[in-house]
Amino acid sequence: MHPRKAVTALAAAAALLAAGTAGAETNLVYSTYVSQGSSSNLQYEGYLDELSRRTDGAVKVQDKMYMSALMKAGEHLSGIGQGLADVGYFCTGYTPAALPLTSMAEMPYVTEKGDAVSATLAELYESYPPLQKEYEKQNVVILAFDAPSATIIGVDEPVSSAADLKGLKVRAYGEVGNIVGKAAGMIPVPMSTADIYTALQTGAIDGYTGIPLWMPGPENWLPHTKTIVAPGIGTYYTCGLAMNKDVYDGLPQKVKDEIAKMRREFPAKSIEYVRKGDAATVAKAQELGVDFYRFTPEEVAAWKQAIDYEQLKADWIESRQARTDADVAAFLQTYRDTLAKHIPQSSYEQKFPE
């Protein structure tokens, strides 16, 4: 047996024992592909610590793996399902074919209110069976969806208008890469966030996009950044914390009930990490003399028109419908209706220096 699978098998066995023995523990291996100090990691380490407290130690993290030490970014969802880790961080954009419904929530130009997006996904995960089913197919259970924030573009060049971005090579992610390519004439370069630092150092790229504002600070990209740009694309990613379903199934019911409560509570907690991370990146950027530029409404509208947004939506529905038996158009409408309910409760705003 593979050593990692052996560890997970023991964790699953411990979980089964916990279901029938008072005081037993489930010891987990946690994996992520981001750095220890990033907001996406800090919020989930905080989640797991809180889960341990709220279950009186019935669930504990035994080992933590950072920066793709155990699995690469695109391997996390399937790897957790296979038992290479018990619990871990994943982002839909690395495996969109496996999560066609979830990926519809990554559609650009919808909202910048990430807490509303995560609250919507948490609600639909429990109330819309086809959404939960696509995770069951991966043999995982969602513990939480984190709050996404609007994408930025960071480049090692001065920027005072959208036109200044033309021709620059930037790390890309999902549909954002297509947008900057079509609308700005930028050159998208697909790569994991783990590879951005080296690519900036070597000049393989001029910058990055498909990145939240909180990320350049802890990832140390700011020394290679002259301007941070807000292009008005909106949220663009859906990420979360997943648990191996075999491990989850072995947990006591009281632990499962606590997980359900925490899943609904997490969007409001996640957005606080986003807000603090944003502020930290802005402060560090100002210390290093990085400039900030926010697109004018006219520039936002021009980009949206350049990509033919209505055709983009139709293409998204068609491509995802080929990957699922669920009605994608119906899900998109349900998602938009549910999102509209949560947006007025949002507390988030992406803030740049005045």
Side-chain angles (χ1 to χ4, degrees), residues 272-295:
E272 289 304 314
Y273 282 93
V274 170
R275 188 177 285 109
K276 291 176 183 177
D278 283 1
T281 285
V282 168
K284 188 172 182 179
Q286 289 181 295
E287 288 178 8
L288 295 173
V290 176
D291 292 325
F292 292 81
Y293 179 73
R294 186 176 295 278
F295 272 24

Side-chain angles (χ1 to χ4, degrees), residues 150-201:
T151 190
I152 59 164
I153 302 172
V155 293
D156 199 16
E157 297 288 343
V159 176
S160 58
S161 73
D164 293 333
L165 297 170
K166 185 175 181 180
L168 298 180
K169 302 189 299 290
V170 291
R171 177 270 182 182
Y173 176 96
E175 187 60 40
V176 176
N178 294 330
I179 291 173
V180 300
K182 292 178 182 177
M186 302 180 81
I187 303 170
V189 182
M191 68 174 64
S192 166
T193 55
D195 298 323
I196 291 176
Y197 181 76
T198 300
L200 288 169
Q201 275 190 317

Side-chain angles (χ1 to χ4, degrees), residues 5 64 154 223 274 327 334:
K5 290 187 177 180
K64 300 175 182 179
V274 170
D327 188 330
T334 299

Side-chain angles (χ1 to χ4, degrees), residues 16-301:
L16 290 170
L17 181 62
T21 306
E25 297 177 359
T26 300
N27 295 309
L28 306 174
V29 174
Y30 163 71
S31 178
T32 184
Y33 54 87
V34 300
S35 66
Q36 186 174 359
S38 72
S39 294
S40 55
N41 174 66
L42 292 174
Q43 64 184 335
Y44 284 129
E45 285 205 66
Y47 171 98
L48 292 167
D49 287 345
E50 183 177 349
L51 178 61
S52 181
R53 292 194 302 271
R54 288 171 64 160
T55 59
D56 298 320
V59 178
K60 292 184 178 180
V61 176
Q62 176 177 288
D63 293 305
K64 300 175 182 179
M65 305 289 184
Y66 308 108
M67 293 292 291
S68 301
L70 190 59
M71 296 176 281
K72 295 180 180 179
E75 299 171 348
H76 264 74
L77 187 66
S78 61
I80 295 162
Q82 293 165 13
L84 301 182
D86 303 306
V87 63
Y89 179 64
F90 76 96
C91 283
T92 304
Y94 289 113
T95 53
L99 302 172
L101 296 182
T102 307
S103 70
M104 291 302 292
E106 299 189 332
M107 186 173 289
Y109 296 106
V110 174
T111 183
E112 294 196 349
K113 304 294 189 179
D115 44 354
V117 172
S118 55
T120 297
L121 288 173
E123 177 177 335
L124 294 178
Y125 180 77
E126 297 182 355
S127 65
Y128 201 86
L131 181 62
Q132 189 171 130
K133 184 179 179 180
E134 69 181 17
Y135 289 98
E136 290 177 348
K137 286 182 179 179
Q138 302 302 314
N139 198 41
V140 300
V141 171
I142 294 300
L143 304 188
F145 289 104
D146 58 82
S149 53
T151 190
I152 59 164
I153 302 172
V155 293
D156 199 16
E157 297 288 343
V159 176
S160 58
S161 73
D164 293 333
L165 297 170
K166 185 175 181 180
L168 298 180
K169 302 189 299 290
V170 291
R171 177 270 182 182
Y173 176 96
E175 187 60 40
V176 176
N178 294 330
I179 291 173
V180 300
K182 292 178 182 177
M186 302 180 81
I187 303 170
V189 182
M191 68 174 64
S192 166
T193 55
D195 298 323
I196 291 176
Y197 181 76
T198 300
L200 288 169
Q201 275 190 317
T202 61
I205 57 175
D206 302 305
Y208 42 85
T209 188
I211 295 296
L213 180 56
W214 51 258
M215 201 168 193
E219 299 296 336
N220 202 31
W221 303 333
L222 293 176
H224 301 283
T225 305
K226 284 190 172 66
T227 313
I228 292 177
V229 179
I233 293 173
T235 61
Y236 64 96
Y237 65 93
T238 51
C239 301
L241 187 69
M243 176 179 277
N244 177 277
K245 190 173 184 299
D246 299 323
V247 174
Y248 175 85
D249 287 345
L251 294 174
Q253 186 59 47
K254 65 178 183 180
V255 175
K256 295 178 182 177
D257 292 343
E258 205 62 42
I259 286 173
K261 291 177 185 176
M262 291 180 65
R263 184 165 47 234
R264 293 187 289 270
E265 296 168 2
F266 193 70
K269 295 179 180 180
S270 176
I271 205 65
E272 289 304 314
Y273 282 93
V274 170
R275 188 177 285 109
K276 291 176 183 177
D278 283 1
T281 285
V282 168
K284 188 172 182 179
Q286 289 181 295
E287 288 178 8
L288 295 173
V290 176
D291 292 325
F292 292 81
Y293 179 73
R294 186 176 295 278
F295 272 24
T296 66
E298 292 76 17
E299 288 173 327
V300 174

